[in-house]
Amino acid sequence: MADPAISVVDRFIGSRPHLTTAQERSDTASVAPTARPGRPHAEHTPANRPEQTLVRLAYQTDSPVLIPDGRATGELCHRPDPADRFPVDWLRLSEHRYLVSVDWPAAHRFFAPLPGGRQDPMLVAETTRQATMMLAHAEYGVPVGDQFLMQELGYRLLTDEFTVLAASGPIDVVVECSDVQLRAGRLVGMRVDLRFQRLGRVLATSMGVLYCTSARVYRRLRGSSMGAAGRSVPLLPAVPAHETGRTDPADVVLARSKHRPGWRLRVNVAHPTLFARPNDHVPGMVLLEAGRQAAAALTPGHDFHPASMRVAFHKYCELADPCWILAGYETDPELGVVVRVRGLQGEEPVFTATLSAAVRDDG
C-alpha cells in the first residue's frame, strides 16, 4: 500500500488543518526562513515552528509547492561526484520523519541496468546510505568531519516490475528515524526505515542501523590504520566479469583464491564510484557488492539478482590485508532459497550477508 505521506496532494491536504492564518492566505508571503541551531545545513526552516506544524508550503499561482528543508550536497551525502549522488532534497514531516526526494538514473557507470531492462536493486542500498548520512548531518547536527559506522543495512523489493522504466527518475522516500541515541546533545546512533515510492507504487523498503563517532575518537580507534588512506593497494586479477554478473572488468570486486574455497576481495582504490574519495578501510558498499557478486558467481548461469539483501558489518575491513569471501546456498523458512556470504579477515568475520532473488509482497 502506498504511503500517503509521499503524495504531494495528500501532504497538502493532511497539513492544511495545521496551517496558521498567515499560511492559509495564498497572497501572503511565506515566513522568512532562519537557520536551526546545531543544524548548519538546513537553512530553510522557518523560525518558531510549532512542534507538529512541520510541513510548510509556498504558493505559486494556484498550486501548492512544498518548500524543502535543505538540498543534498556532496558533503552531506559523502558523494563528491554529482553523478553518484541520488538524494536531491528533503522535507521534515514530523519529529524523526522525513521525505527525501531522490533522482535515480536510467543509466549509471556502476549501478547499471541489468538484462531485461531491470533497474539495479543496489540503488536502494546506496540511496539508504546516502540519505541516512545526509539527515544525520543536517537534521541531527553530526559534524561533517565525524565518522559513520553502518552496523546493519538491508533492503527488499516489493514489486517484480523493478525496471528502469518504473524505477528511474524522481523517487519519493519516506525516512523514519527511531532508537535515536543522543549523548550530551550529540547523535550517537539511530535506526532508519525507508519506503521508496514512485507514481503511487511502492517499489522497495530498506533499513539501516547507524553509529557515529567523533573525528578525534575515530583517529584514536583506528591508530596507524589511518595512514592507509590514499595509499595504493596491489590490484588482484579479476574473476571474469560475466561470472560476477558484471560487464566491465573494472567493476569486479572478486579475485580467484588459490589457497582456500571462495574468492579474495579485489580492492580497486582507483574505482571512481566504489572509492569516491581516499579511505583508510574498505567501504561498506564494496562489501555489499562482494556479496552480490559472490551470489552471482555461485549461481548457474550467473544471473542472480538480489531482490532482498541483509548485511551485518562486524569490523572494519582493512585495505591491505587479505579478505576471503565465502558463499553457500541455504534454505530459509521465510525467504526460501538464499545465498549466505561471509567475509573473513584474519579469520574474523568482517561482514555477513543474506541474499534472496525472490520478490515478496508487502503482506
Side-chain angles (χ1 to χ4, degrees):
M1 177 181 295
D3 187 331
I6 320 180
S7 162
V8 171
V9 175
D10 287 346
R11 276 183 277 144
F12 173 57
I13 294 172
S15 64
R16 195 172 181 82
H18 303 290
L19 298 178
T20 66
T21 302
Q23 288 171 310
E24 287 279 20
R25 295 198 298 269
S26 61
D27 58 348
T28 302
S30 302
V31 178
T34 60
R36 266 175 285 180
R39 290 173 179 170
H41 300 286
E43 301 96 338
H44 307 288
T45 302
N48 302 320
R49 176 168 55 187
E51 184 173 345
Q52 298 303 320
T53 309
L54 299 175
V55 178
R56 291 161 294 101
L57 300 116
Y59 284 86
Q60 195 174 65
T61 65
D62 294 326
S63 302
V65 178
L66 295 174
I67 304 175
D69 281 304
R71 294 194 61 84
T73 66
E75 188 177 50
L76 292 177
C77 297
H78 295 206
R79 281 297 189 185
D81 190 336
D84 294 334
R85 189 165 63 245
F86 305 129
V88 177
D89 54 37
W90 76 91
L91 177 72
R92 191 178 185 207
L93 299 176
S94 62
E95 187 179 19
H96 306 313
R97 192 167 192 250
Y98 306 90
L99 174 67
V100 177
S101 298
V102 167
D103 186 18
W104 275 350
H108 188 269
R109 64 189 176 198
F110 183 75
F111 301 101
L114 304 174
R118 287 171 292 182
Q119 184 64 286
D120 187 350
M122 297 293 277
L123 278 170
V124 180
E126 175 61 11
T127 302
T128 300
R129 191 188 71 85
Q130 292 185 25
T132 301
M133 292 189 296
M134 177 184 75
L135 293 175
H137 284 309
E139 289 289 333
Y140 295 94
V142 175
V144 170
D146 282 12
Q147 296 289 327
F148 294 107
L149 171 63
M150 189 72 82
Q151 188 178 63
E152 290 185 63
L153 181 63
Y155 73 83
R156 66 181 176 115
L157 305 186
L158 299 182
T159 174
D160 284 311
E161 297 183 24
F162 195 79
T163 62
V164 172
L165 182 63
S168 65
I171 308 293
D172 294 317
V173 185
V174 166
V175 182
E176 302 267 6
C177 302
S178 60
D179 299 331
V180 177
Q181 304 172 40
L182 301 174
R183 184 177 301 147
R186 191 188 191 105
L187 182 69
V188 176
M190 64 181 176
R191 176 190 168 104
V192 291
D193 290 274
L194 292 78
R195 192 172 183 88
F196 296 75
Q197 182 174 314
R198 182 173 186 265
L199 300 177
R201 169 185 288 179
V202 180
L203 302 172
T205 58
S206 68
M207 61 75 62
V209 177
L210 179 81
Y211 289 95
C212 315
T213 184
S214 69
R216 178 180 57 82
V217 171
Y218 184 78
R219 285 193 299 269
R220 187 170 69 243
L221 175 69
R222 295 291 289 151
S224 60
S225 297
M226 291 284 292
R231 290 183 183 174
S232 62
V233 176
L235 188 60
L236 302 174
V239 169
H242 76 277
E243 293 185 15
T244 66
R246 306 297 307 192
T247 57
D248 187 345
D251 294 335
V252 176
V253 299
L254 300 182
R256 299 284 187 202
S257 172
K258 298 179 180 179
H259 307 291
R260 60 191 303 172
W263 305 268
R264 279 275 304 274
L265 183 66
R266 182 174 185 260
V267 177
N268 181 5
V269 296
H271 195 284
T273 297
L274 294 178
F275 285 85
R277 56 184 186 171
N279 210 319
D280 63 88
H281 61 273
V282 177
M285 185 49 62
V286 177
L287 303 180
L288 265 74
E289 183 62 21
R292 189 243 292 262
Q293 293 188 18
L298 197 66
T299 303
H302 310 302
D303 59 350
F304 183 93
H305 304 295
S308 69
M309 176 185 282
R310 186 71 173 256
V311 181
F313 301 99
H314 305 293
K315 58 177 291 188
Y316 290 109
C317 183
E318 305 299 341
L319 289 167
D321 297 342
C323 181
W324 308 96
I325 308 297
L326 310 175
Y329 281 103
E330 293 184 17
T331 300
D332 184 276
E334 182 180 352
L335 299 174
V337 176
V338 301
V339 179
R340 299 199 189 274
V341 183
R342 292 183 297 148
L344 299 176
Q345 198 167 58
E347 301 306 319
E348 294 184 0
V350 171
F351 76 96
T352 51
T354 301
L355 303 88
S356 171
V359 174
R360 296 180 295 154
D361 61 32
D362 201 21

